[in-house]
Amino acid sequence: MTPPDTSASSLDPSSPAAAAPQQATADPQMQPKTSTEETPSYIKLAMRNMVKKGGKSLFHFTLSAAGLLGLLVGLAYLTR
């Protein structure tokens, strides 16, 4: 069994060996953000767009609901 190395180079904070652990701890903070964090999700974009164009969205929803209701009533009348 050998005694641990207590030379000045292993204790010197400016040595490359001592700098490596410091760099490893600083790297997680310096990592670039992932692509999902940089761009908003499609749901957020759709919600933002709907708020901007509220009247048009409500008109299209009402038109679609009336069309679907008309289709169901028409099919019910034809298949009675």
Side-chain angles (χ1 to χ4, degrees), residues 42-73:
Y42 289 111
I43 294 172
K44 286 184 180 179
L45 289 173
M47 295 284 278
R48 189 178 302 151
N49 190 29
M50 194 168 66
V51 168
K52 278 187 200 176
K53 301 177 181 182
K56 186 180 275 189
S57 295
L58 288 174
F59 173 72
H60 286 151
F61 174 74
T62 306
L63 192 62
S64 298
L68 182 62
L69 185 64
L71 177 72
L72 291 175
V73 168

Side-chain angles (χ1 to χ4, degrees), residues 5-20:
D5 185 22
T6 57
S7 65
S9 64
S10 67
L11 298 176
D12 183 21
S14 64
S15 69

Side-chain angles (χ1 to χ4, degrees), residues 1-44:
M1 182 173 217
T2 61
D5 185 22
T6 57
S7 65
S9 64
S10 67
L11 298 176
D12 183 21
S14 64
S15 69
Q22 292 173 352
Q23 290 174 353
T25 57
D27 283 345
Q29 297 170 355
M30 301 297 284
Q31 289 179 351
K33 294 183 178 180
T34 60
S35 62
T36 57
E37 292 176 357
E38 292 175 358
T39 58
S41 69
Y42 289 111
I43 294 172
K44 286 184 180 179

